[in-house]
Amino acid sequence: MTEKDSRRIFYFMSLNLTFMMIQAFYGYVTDSLGLLSDSVHMFFDCVALAVGLFAAVASKWPPSERFPYGFGKIETLSGFGNGVFLILISVEIMTEACERIWEGRETKRLGELFVVSTLGLLVNLVGMMAFGHHHHGHGHDHGHSHGGHDHSHGCNGHGHGHDEKHDHSHGGHSHGHSHDNENMHGIYLHVLADTLGSAAVIVSTILTHFWKWSGWDPLASFLIAVLILLSSLPLVKSSARRLLLTIPPEIEYNLRNTLSGITGLRGVVGYAAPKFWIDDRNAGEATPANKLLGVMHVVAARGADMEDVRDRVRNYLLGHNIDVTLQVEREGDTSCWCGVGRSPLSASHRVTHSTSIF
Amino acid sequence: MATDDGLASGDSDAQAPKNPFNFQTQFISTGPVKSHQIFQEPPPRPPPVLPASLPIPTFKEAWASMQRDQRARLCWCCCHAAVAMYVFFSAEGSLAMTALSHLVFFDVGSAAVCVAVDVLGNFEVWRRSSIRHPFGLQRAEVLAGFAMSVFLVFGGSISSRTTSSTFSRPSASTPRTTRPPRTSPTITAAAAATPTPARYVSPGTVDFASLAAVVSTLVSAYGLRNHSRIRRVMRVPFPYLASLLPGAGILANPFHFLTLCFSFLLLLLPLVSLAHFVWLDAVICAAIAASMFILGTRLAVAQGLMLLMSYSGLPTTTTISSSSTNPSSKSKPFPSSSSSSFSAATTTTTAATTTTTTVSSVVRELESEPHVARVEEAQFWQVHYGLAMANLKVRLARGTGSGGSDDGTLSQVRARLARVVQNRLGEGYGRGGNLRWEVTVQTCSDG
């Protein structure tokens, strides 16, 4: 699926590049400032696309020593960057438009303007077809795979335990969210912004042609800028949340249940420093969605076998779709940074539990 | 599961006599039912170690929590922003001033990020981990830095676009009201800057806008010591700059350096009556744009790597005395000759280890520990500026930690591994930022 994504980006980028070169060439030959500056704009579009392409390709790279959790976040990062860029651009356009309405600068050379923006609109419409269709397809896809996911869990259980199914029925809604591709969304918004910009220029040119008011163009720009701003805010928010390693609420609910069950396991006295984050290594379709990775320190009761406790807790958590690196400490050992033996809270429930087990 | 439950409930039966409330003496119920099973408590569950989520402060709470110096910083931020607006609006017609105003805006933005980080640090949600935010909100600092770097790239691209459209028209001095056509509204910067006649500052006078930029940058850097804070946020290794002029604190922050340089230049030009050469204006603008672009890209990569959950090793030279390998980090200025000779000396003595301390070298060192047979999995990654995690899966040597008597050994091994990681990869204590490593060791023994 992602390979299809990157191929799409690549095709559109080469189209953009060709158009840019043609524009630059004609601009140079005819000494047209409009064509030249528009080709510069095209160049920056191409840069944004190249970043997106890189992100799409890099997200497939395997984890390495330097990137222990793979490159799953790179698409989110690219989406975040694109969103911030769009917000900045729209703010800039808005101030510019206000300034121009204030000053009432006149627009001339309408013919050239019209031709260039129509060409740009055509190119961007192609891009919209590619990404917009894809974007929709993505959404649909998700609806399907979401349904299919439940199905597969209901039918053969995918080899997970039974309480697993229970968890999924709770957290079912989060599938679509957590797997949404922010990179493609960002590129789509970028192309959309360009298309709207071209359309705005065309409309305002026509309007200026009929009614001689210099405010059409800044007004159109302003409206478009507001639209872009509003549409890129959710993208920035969702990608920022993912980059902050926030656990979505549905998963958090299950996670709390799971965690409170740990102290009920035999030989476990308490736990400390539980930290979990969502695994977005694209290891393949076989891995279930919303897998969590994490770190935890567990205190084993006096006399309990540490290896036994480790395996027990790990299997329990694996059953709940959490892969964890587990440090097992002996009760009374306060040397670790997690401070499990020191805080009064954990100390108190440590005591009650040790009496309850023996 | 079932066995555990049974165990726990049997257990609370045993606890029942200790119950301070003695229900046996009450004879309210006249029926024959004497069972106390209905009063039995559920198996005791300890309170969760972590809160599910901590409240994120609203704007009002944040305002109320601000201390005096934080408020002063905020006030200065506003003043700085006003200066930036002034520069921006007085830049009408001059490309270089427009680009400079972008730089000043960036300074304002990074100062604002510093203030916000400072204020949010008053709240628990910032530091403490909860289930929803396992690392607190401190990663937001990195994210904000990334956004600021995007702003820098954005400013660079806007300025370069403007410059290129000026260069493409050699006769820019003649006032034309042509608005360049474009397919997107983003090009309006070019449209706004080029057509109007160039901004005119009469030779021999002081340009107030650039003077304001210089003064505000200096106040921000030295008056409020923002430069070190911002450098902490915008932590980018710039070895060339630091080695060029060591000791000068402000140079360690390349952004303040840039702002100061260019605003001084713009301040000086009218004084030597070079005010209104369009090409010079465009050249300066191009220089600002290029440096913004380069710096922004470097910054974005540096912060992006952290957001990608990676760790690239300690980039400084690893010497015995890690405190003074980077001369610029010292606030105390000392002569460049001595510092360069010193760094030359350190590089010669430890020529073998001048490269970065990579993760694999640390892992090798961990494997050479006496009780460790093999490090099976090692995941090193940096969470935010102050915290990094090392998650290790270690196979112990035969005979270690298999029995219950070896708890002490096991604990010692863990402590040793943690110490090695902290010593090798934690940035020394003398430096500004202290990277703390949270090491988790999952052990299993051979055979």
Side-chain angles (χ1 to χ4, degrees), chain B residues 118-140:
Chain B
D118 219 23
V119 172
L120 281 173
N122 296 342
F123 292 93
E124 253 195 335
V125 67
W126 185 254
R127 278 171 230 285
R128 260 189 81 183
S129 74
S130 58
I131 290 180
R132 179 162 304 172
H133 300 286
F135 302 98
L137 281 184
Q138 286 193 52
R139 244 168 106 86

Side-chain angles (χ1 to χ4, degrees), chain B residues 367-391:
Chain B
E367 281 183 330
S368 68
E369 291 287 320
H371 292 291
V372 177
R374 202 162 63 246
V375 176
E376 291 182 329
E377 235 180 277
Q379 294 162 337
F380 288 71
W381 64 286
Q382 192 166 359
V383 185
H384 50 78
Y385 296 114
L387 178 69
M389 296 194 94
N391 306 329

Side-chain angles (χ1 to χ4, degrees), chain A residues 188-211:
Chain A
Y188 172 74
L189 278 185
H190 202 123
V191 177
L192 179 74
D194 283 353
T195 315
L196 286 180
S198 309
V201 172
I202 292 176
V203 169
S204 69
T205 315
I206 293 174
L207 284 176
T208 321
H209 185 72
F210 287 111
W211 292 278

Side-chain angles (χ1 to χ4, degrees), chain A residues 135-270:
Chain A
H135 190 71
H136 268 275
H138 209 69
H140 276 297
D141 232 70
H142 262 287
H144 283 303
S145 73
H146 169 51
H149 203 85
D150 276 356
H151 243 286
S152 69
H153 266 286
C155 290
N156 52 18
H158 245 304
H160 300 302
H162 278 284
D163 26 6
E164 164 76 13
K165 208 166 70 190
H166 178 72
D167 282 356
H168 266 277
S169 68
H170 267 296
H173 277 290
S174 64
H175 285 290
H177 279 296
S178 69
H179 249 263
D180 215 0
N181 190 334
E182 267 109 358
N183 188 24
M184 292 306 275
H185 191 184
I187 292 176
Y188 172 74
L189 278 185
H190 202 123
V191 177
L192 179 74
D194 283 353
T195 315
L196 286 180
S198 309
V201 172
I202 292 176
V203 169
S204 69
T205 315
I206 293 174
L207 284 176
T208 321
H209 185 72
F210 287 111
W211 292 278
K212 285 280 178 200
W213 181 52
S214 59
W216 289 120
D217 187 62
L219 190 69
S221 313
F222 192 88
L223 290 181
I224 296 296
V226 171
L227 273 183
I228 298 171
L229 183 70
L230 290 183
S231 62
S232 49
L233 274 180
L235 170 70
V236 168
K237 261 187 211 159
S238 73
S239 51
R241 213 168 288 141
R242 279 185 74 176
L243 288 173
L244 286 180
L245 302 177
T246 306
I247 303 279
E250 307 89 357
I251 303 182
E252 181 210 316
Y253 181 81
N254 293 328
L255 187 60
R256 257 155 54 199
N257 273 346
T258 311
L259 280 181
S260 59
I262 284 179
T263 42
L265 298 176
R266 181 144 51 104
V268 176
V269 170

